[in-house]
Amino acid sequence: AIVKKQISRLKEPSIKCIDLVVQELTNVVRYCSDKMNRYPRLREETERIITTYIREKEQRCKDQILMLIDCELA
């Protein structure tokens, strides 16, 4: 019972950590895309594609983490 209580407390920090990683990845994408200012259309498309990919993987990662915690609680 004590361990389950501690495991359930991991959910919120885990989700916050994922959010921080996504935010940092987004910042890196913006920084890198700024190097392509000579090609605005390419820059916009590259940033859009990479950001969309990061968002898709963010949700999958959150689902996996929550599933792992739920499995540990079972």
Side-chain angles (χ1 to χ4, degrees), residues 29-65:
V29 168
R30 282 197 187 110
Y31 175 78
C32 291
S33 67
D34 284 344
K35 305 290 183 186
M36 296 189 286
N37 279 336
R38 295 172 81 188
Y39 311 101
R41 179 89 169 116
L42 175 64
R43 183 181 59 81
E44 289 172 9
E45 280 299 303
T46 303
E47 192 172 330
R48 184 188 62 78
I49 290 168
I50 295 172
T51 303
T52 301
Y53 182 79
I54 290 171
R55 294 289 177 208
E56 289 171 2
K57 297 305 174 185
E58 172 189 16
Q59 191 54 50
R60 185 164 182 230
C61 185
K62 285 181 180 179
D63 292 343
Q64 289 285 74
I65 294 294

Side-chain angles (χ1 to χ4, degrees), residues 2 5 10 14 19 21 24 39 41 54-55 63 73:
I2 294 171
K5 189 176 183 181
L10 290 174
S14 299
D19 290 337
V21 169
E24 189 60 33
Y39 311 101
R41 179 89 169 116
I54 290 171
R55 294 289 177 208
D63 292 343
L73 290 172

